[in-house]
Amino acid sequence: MAKYFDVHPDNPQPRALRQVADGLREDALIAYPTDSCYALGCRLGSRDGIDRIRAIRRLDDRHHFTLVCQDFAQLGQFVRIDNDVFRAIKASTPGSYTFILPATREVPRVLQHPKKKTVGVRIPDHAVARALVEELGEPLLSSTLLLPDEEEPLTQGWEIKDRLDHVLDAVVDSGDCGTEPTTVVDFSGGEAEIVRRGAGDTSRFE
């Protein structure tokens, strides 16, 4: 049965975030809000969490997981970025974008694309998500909460708890945060390639 945390969207309660972060350190799988839609999240090194996300979403090993980072300094520990790409990403964060980049050795191999050795990274423009990552002290391994055979992600915390109570350890609810996932931009080849058009404005990458 998933624990339920009702968290203020702009001023999240520190005690609640501490409890959620403590659970993540013990391999909890959570649902939490972002600036695009709700996401599934676990700690970076949780093999159990990865397997559970794959099972819930029915993902294969080619799926790009996303590392949700607190800030640009943290993001830079996990991906390799040249100067031109640095400027483009810096100008777009925080925001509703996921960037696919070559992974550093800090990223567990199981999270990397099996052939490209890439990983997705993002810095969300959402107070709860960023405060949770700050409390955790490391990126949050994430995937959009989009269930198989459904066209839109779940967007209400109570509905997420009702439907996924048996497979999640916690639900962090801070109200409706929309149904449109992030815009995904692949920079792994050096040039911007828009993989998915979503909540973020794509004009700067075209």
Side-chain angles (χ1 to χ4, degrees):
M1 188 177 211
K3 295 180 180 177
Y4 181 79
F5 296 89
D6 188 3
V7 177
H8 193 281
D10 300 315
N11 298 292
Q13 303 91 315
R15 183 172 178 271
L17 294 181
R18 281 194 297 272
Q19 289 180 286
V20 176
D22 286 345
L24 286 165
R25 294 185 189 103
E26 296 176 0
D27 278 356
L29 177 62
I30 69 168
Y32 73 102
T34 76
D35 53 344
S36 56
C37 53
Y38 276 85
L40 297 168
C42 64
R43 70 176 180 86
L44 186 58
S46 176
R47 185 58 192 255
D48 178 65
I50 295 168
D51 290 343
R52 291 165 70 187
I53 292 173
R54 288 193 194 279
I56 291 169
R57 293 202 54 200
R58 296 182 202 159
L59 301 173
D60 61 28
D61 64 359
R62 295 185 301 277
H63 175 76
H64 268 109
F65 282 100
T66 298
L67 303 183
V68 173
C69 300
Q70 175 188 347
D71 52 31
F72 212 87
Q74 189 179 69
L75 182 148
Q77 299 174 37
F78 296 91
V79 289
R80 298 195 301 275
I81 312 175
D82 66 28
N83 288 338
D84 290 340
V85 173
F86 174 92
R87 285 190 289 270
I89 294 178
K90 183 77 169 174
S92 307
T93 54
S96 301
Y97 299 94
T98 298
F99 301 102
I100 297 173
L101 290 158
T104 68
R105 293 181 180 178
E106 299 292 321
V107 180
R109 186 171 295 179
V110 68
L111 302 183
Q112 301 177 29
H113 188 282
K115 292 184 178 179
K116 298 180 179 180
K117 306 305 179 188
T118 50
V119 70
V121 288
R122 68 174 299 226
I123 304 171
D125 189 13
H126 193 286
V128 175
R130 292 175 69 185
L132 180 56
V133 173
E134 181 178 6
E135 180 65 37
L136 184 61
E138 63 180 50
L140 194 56
L141 172 64
S142 289
S143 183
T144 302
L145 211 176
L146 181 61
L147 298 179
D149 305 321
E150 296 195 11
E151 294 184 2
E152 291 190 342
L154 299 178
T155 187
Q156 299 288 344
W158 61 265
E159 183 185 14
I160 294 168
K161 177 159 170 55
D162 185 55
R163 294 186 59 182
L164 300 178
D165 200 30
H166 59 298
V167 293
L168 296 177
D169 299 302
V171 174
V172 181
D173 187 356
S174 65
D176 192 331
C177 53
T179 60
E180 194 169 19
T182 58
T183 288
V184 179
V185 184
D186 188 343
F187 273 112
S188 62
E191 299 289 330
E193 178 187 351
I194 299 169
V195 177
R196 179 179 71 196
R197 295 177 188 272
D201 179 15
T202 60
S203 61
R204 68 183 67 193
F205 302 110
E206 296 176 304

